[in-house]
Amino acid sequence: MPLQTGWKHFPFHEVSLEPGNFADGLKGLRIVQLSDLHLKRSLDISYLELLVKKINALNPDLVVFTGDILQTFAYRLRKHFHAFSALESPAYYVTGNHDVVYGPKSLKKELFKYNIFCLDNRISMLNIINTPLQLVGLADRYSFARGIKRPIEELFSGLDENISTILLAHQPKDIEHIGKHRIDIQLSGHTHAGQLYPFNKLVKRLQPYFAGQYIHGKTILYVTRGLGYWGPAIRYKAPSEIPVFTLI
């Protein structure tokens, strides 16, 4: 699909991840990643309602949003957010740079109504298949514009090194902060894989982690092309993507 337009695609992409140190009890874990939705009031709510139905049919253990949910102010999207109330799996998100622009506090308030929990600079301890799992999230790199600090070393020092860990971070470059800490998997977005050819050639020069799966030390990094659009609802040679991960 070299040319893609509009909100009529449900590009689920099955991806197997095999982190070396992950707990055996978490093999088979299923995660759906939504990223870079860039929601506007003009988006037909029925698209989101059908998207949620299709996600539920996959029966994931987790749904994670890795930033840039907003392309307008959150209060203008209340009816759109209501579509996510039908999600049947636990859901978490971190902010992206566009969320910083349109207001992370109001986004947090609106999504909390539908049990989608903010992980900005937080750790959440989950129990899945009777096995502990740490989810840790970073606020976007541009959060300082809202006076929000990122206490990265303090946050990562709070991780239990004996427990499998997944990091949600909108921008893939945040993998530079992992250092000695145990992060088995990092899920990111942000790049759109350039969204439009030949613009994606420039993006690839600026983003060392452009799209797809990478290995950084002992960490698997997955950078999704994202679901939505920045600017015009057009993608060319950079199709949208909804990764569906299975841990093996």
Side-chain angles (χ1 to χ4, degrees):
M1 186 196 309
L3 178 65
Q4 176 184 322
T5 61
W7 290 86
K8 51 183 180 284
H9 308 278
F10 299 92
F12 293 102
H13 175 207
E14 293 282 347
V15 180
S16 296
L17 297 180
E18 191 173 6
N21 294 325
F22 232 61
D24 288 342
L26 292 172
K27 289 184 177 179
L29 182 76
R30 298 266 287 169
I31 302 172
V32 171
Q33 181 188 9
L34 294 170
S35 196
D36 300 275
L37 276 68
H38 294 277
L39 297 179
K40 302 178 180 179
R41 288 181 71 178
S42 58
L43 173 61
D44 192 332
I45 295 171
S46 64
Y47 172 85
L48 294 178
E49 292 171 341
L50 183 54
L51 172 65
V52 169
K53 288 181 181 179
K54 290 180 177 290
I55 290 172
N56 288 339
L58 295 170
N59 195 31
D61 298 286
L62 291 172
V63 176
V64 297
F65 296 74
T66 50
D68 279 4
I69 296 168
L70 299 177
Q71 198 57 44
T72 187
F73 297 103
Y75 74 86
R76 295 177 176 172
L77 295 169
R78 286 169 179 158
K79 292 182 179 179
H80 294 75
F81 292 145
H82 185 266
F84 295 125
S85 66
L87 280 173
E88 296 173 356
S89 306
Y92 299 85
Y93 82 95
V94 290
T95 51
N97 51 300
H98 286 256
D99 305 320
V100 171
V101 171
Y102 289 104
K105 288 185 179 179
S106 58
L107 177 62
K108 182 178 180 179
K109 178 181 177 182
E110 294 300 329
L111 292 183
F112 183 75
K113 296 176 183 177
Y114 306 112
N115 296 317
I116 302 175
F117 300 106
C118 182
L119 268 187
D120 281 4
N121 306 324
R122 293 185 57 202
I123 298 169
S124 183
M125 186 68 71
L126 309 182
N127 191 291
I128 298 178
I129 324 173
N130 295 317
T131 305
L133 171 66
Q134 290 176 129
L135 274 186
V136 57
L138 280 177
D140 188 72
R141 292 166 72 93
Y142 293 106
S143 293
F144 65 85
R146 290 277 183 177
I148 299 170
K149 296 180 180 180
R150 301 205 307 166
I152 297 174
E153 185 61 31
E154 179 182 348
L155 177 69
F156 286 173
S157 293
L159 292 168
D160 187 330
E161 295 293 318
N162 297 310
I163 295 177
S164 303
T165 304
I166 297 174
L167 169 64
L168 307 182
H170 176 62
Q171 300 199 35
K173 288 181 180 178
D174 277 333
I175 200 164
E176 299 164 359
H177 299 298
I178 287 177
K180 66 180 186 302
H181 301 288
R182 176 179 178 176
I183 304 290
D184 298 295
I185 298 169
Q186 177 179 321
L187 302 180
S188 297
H190 184 60
T191 69
H192 295 219
Q195 188 168 317
L196 292 169
Y197 177 87
F199 177 67
N200 52 7
K201 290 187 176 182
L202 173 62
V203 174
K204 198 167 188 177
R205 288 186 179 184
L206 298 174
Q207 295 289 342
Y209 303 102
F210 178 67
Q213 189 172 157
Y214 301 87
I215 302 296
H216 180 93
K218 295 182 179 180
T219 302
I220 294 176
L221 167 63
Y222 194 90
V223 183
T224 175
R225 298 188 298 271
L227 181 57
Y229 306 87
W230 177 57
I234 299 171
R235 285 174 174 261
Y236 183 55
K237 295 187 177 181
S240 58
E241 176 188 27
I242 305 172
V244 182
F245 302 107
T246 301
L247 271 67
I248 60 173

